[in-house]
Amino acid sequence: MPLISLMINGQERAAEVPANRLLVDFLREDLEMTGTHVGCDTSQCGACVVHMDGKAVKACAIFAVEAVGQEVQTIEGEADADGNLSALQQAFKDQHALQCGFCTPGMVMSAADLLAQNPKPTEHDIRTHLEGNLCRCTGYHNIINAILVASGQDPTVPA
Amino acid sequence: MYEFDIFLPTSVDDAVEKAGEDQQFLAGGQTLIPTLKQRLAMPEALVSLSKVAELRGICRGDDGALCIGAMTTHANVAQQSDFPALAELADGIGDPAVRNRGTIGGSLANNDPAACYPAAVLGTAATVVTNTRRIAADDFFTGLFETALEEGELITEVQFPIPDSAVYAKFVQPASRFAIVGVFIARFGTDVRVAITGAGENGVFRWAEAENALADRFQSDALEGVGLGDVDILSDIHAAEDYRRHLVTVMTKRAINRLCSQ
Ligand code: FES
Ligand code: FES
């Protein structure tokens, strides 16, 4: 089995895995980084979104070997080393943007990707950018408010 | 997932050499990887193109064509400004995470009957360049998930002649973001090309009757009474045949109106 070594949240992590290991399984099963979720088998739900070289991608639709040599950012890297939540995570908490929390890692990573490109998104920008993130608890309004608040805007969507 | 090997070549030559029998090229993987999970495809090995740098990038050819490397992502195509209708088409594929990974070459090689890129390629008479030859768009799409590509042949680049004006109008299937019907119209001088995706049972096709009518008069009412000829139209849980047939005309008219009001 090949030894796969990746840069994840700024740290080198390695494991011996079968060649066809998906990135999401590498994270969850081999490195026990279970923050990244798997919500579907069809690459449609967005629960597994991580960043690769600064861009949002679905970790269930990439093989771990394909991520070698690239910087992977996961939800575990959002809070700082002392466990203080990022502004985005804090806004999700304050705006009650999660119920069961299953979709949340993907939502936060997609939202972080949006804010990196567009620091003051409109409600429309947010909805469009989150097209690939599904919430089975359907708490979309609060998720949008959280992203508005995290970008220094007022939460305008009625709950 | 079942067991298989993955090769990671770094050049086109190396990739083609690695691609033996029962092996498949892996481009962005946004369709192929879910397909593998369901075992709808079961190659013995994949040849991942993710590390082949020469397959990525966008430039202008000597003849003015927009040349897009096969492994260029939808997100990168969406960012170029030389061909705005193509940028808009790319920006409407899937969702942002899919666009950061999915590629033009992968989409064309797969030739999904509801994919967006085939409409632009056929609608502009683009050229699909492979490791061995150049294939005209009119010869490339040969049927449902079928192309002119031979076993082991690899798309390296797509060359788009840039039209005087063009537009893509898509009636989206909201869950998958594929086209229920997508219409690409391009004007080159007095010539008009109309390519329809999402609707044909054999995949993307040119709507010749509409092209003729629009070459005479580029107005949406020029389509009155213009039929679809003998094209077989898809019918599925998302849209029945007569609905899709109607939608082709509606979306083509919308596309024309958008072009006329630009
Ligand atoms: S697990 Fe659903 S998109 Fe990746
Ligand atoms: S909070 Fe439960 S799935 Fe989104």
Side-chain angles (χ1 to χ4, degrees):
Chain A
M1 286 199 293
L3 178 74
I4 295 180
S5 166
L6 296 186
M7 283 301 283
I8 301 171
N9 301 329
Q11 284 185 326
E12 189 156 352
R13 306 290 304 266
E16 255 179 61
V17 299
N20 65 352
R21 204 68 157 155
L22 290 169
L23 177 58
V24 75
D25 294 331
F26 185 74
L27 293 170
R28 291 181 54 85
E29 311 290 330
D30 302 313
L31 304 181
E32 297 182 0
M33 297 177 70
T34 52
T36 303
H37 289 174
V38 178
C40 72
D41 212 12
T42 50
S43 299
Q44 285 176 309
C45 75
C48 65
V49 168
V50 299
H51 297 180
M52 229 167 75
D53 281 354
K55 290 179 185 146
V57 294
K58 294 178 184 178
C60 74
I62 293 176
F63 292 106
V65 282
E66 296 185 296
V68 172
Q70 280 166 296
E71 294 275 338
V72 177
Q73 280 291 124
T74 70
I75 188 71
E76 283 90 348
E78 268 291 299
D80 71 16
D82 299 327
N84 299 313
L85 299 182
S86 69
L88 193 53
Q89 287 174 310
Q90 189 63 47
F92 266 66
K93 186 175 172 203
D94 294 343
Q95 296 298 317
H96 305 289
L98 49 156
Q99 286 87 56
C100 79
F102 199 89
C103 68
T104 311
M107 290 287 179
V108 170
M109 295 310 281
S110 283
D113 176 62
L114 169 65
L115 296 182
Q117 299 166 32
N118 180 354
K120 285 259 179 291
T122 63
E123 180 188 337
H124 177 79
D125 296 338
I126 296 171
R127 287 186 186 276
T128 311
H129 204 82
L130 293 183
E131 256 163 10
N133 291 84
L134 306 183
C135 175
R136 283 305 293 266
C137 301
T138 67
Y140 293 105
H141 287 189
N142 288 355
I143 292 170
I144 290 157
N145 280 337
I147 299 168
L148 287 169
V149 168
S151 55
Q153 308 180 81
D154 289 334
T156 50
V157 186
Chain B
M1 199 155 345
Y2 73 96
E3 252 179 64
F4 55 84
D5 232 332
I6 301 183
F7 302 116
L8 288 148
T10 52
S11 71
V12 169
D13 288 346
D14 200 15
V16 171
E17 199 175 303
K18 289 245 162 50
E21 227 175 280
D22 274 329
Q23 304 192 351
Q24 203 167 337
F25 290 120
L26 171 67
Q30 302 305 286
T31 299
L32 182 53
I33 294 177
T35 308
L36 293 169
K37 287 186 202 168
Q38 295 180 51
R39 304 201 181 188
L40 293 172
M42 290 188 70
E44 273 172 17
L46 294 179
V47 180
S48 165
L49 304 170
S50 59
K51 305 293 179 200
V52 185
E54 62 185 296
L55 288 174
R56 289 183 196 271
I58 303 180
C59 64
R60 291 297 287 267
D62 296 338
D63 56 356
L66 188 67
C67 305
I68 303 182
M71 283 294 289
T72 307
T73 62
H74 310 323
N76 285 335
V77 175
Q79 278 156 10
Q80 56 77 33
S81 51
D82 289 21
F83 187 175
L86 188 68
E88 193 189 318
L89 174 147
D91 200 39
I93 298 174
D95 56 54
V98 165
R99 292 195 287 276
N100 281 334
R101 197 71 194 158
T103 66
I104 185 169
S107 168
L108 293 174
N110 190 44
N111 193 17
D112 188 298
C116 297
Y117 273 125
V121 168
L122 192 60
T124 56
T127 302
V128 178
V129 183
T130 76
N131 59 313
T132 56
R133 59 186 169 143
R134 302 167 57 81
I135 309 173
D138 284 306
D139 301 325
F140 183 80
F141 305 101
T142 55
L144 202 67
F145 296 104
E146 296 285 340
T147 67
L149 292 172
E150 308 274 355
E151 197 70 41
E153 188 174 7
L154 177 65
I155 301 177
T156 55
E157 184 176 276
V158 187
Q159 299 178 349
F160 289 93
I162 298 182
D164 300 328
S165 60
V167 66
Y168 180 59
K170 163 159 104 165
F171 193 85
V172 71
Q173 204 280 81
S176 70
R177 309 245 149 230
F178 273 91
I180 289 183
V181 168
V183 179
F184 198 95
I185 302 183
R187 302 183 78 184
F188 296 89
T190 52
D191 276 356
V192 181
R193 283 177 74 106
V194 181
I196 310 287
T197 189
E201 254 188 13
N202 293 310
V204 67
F205 64 91
R206 277 173 73 187
W207 187 8
E209 291 82 354
E211 290 179 355
N212 293 335
L214 292 171
D216 285 345
R217 203 164 56 87
F218 198 84
Q219 288 293 330
S220 55
D221 60 11
L223 291 180
E224 289 313 326
V226 175
L228 269 174
D230 55 6
V231 186
D232 292 325
I233 299 294
L234 273 170
S235 185
D236 61 22
I237 52 167
H238 305 301
E241 189 210 317
D242 52 349
Y243 179 77
R244 265 201 173 80
R245 199 176 274 281
H246 180 70
L247 207 49
V248 169
T249 306
V250 171
M251 294 312 290
T252 307
K253 284 184 177 173
R254 282 191 197 171
I256 296 163
N257 289 340
R258 263 185 61 197
L259 261 189
C260 290
S261 63
Q262 267 170 18

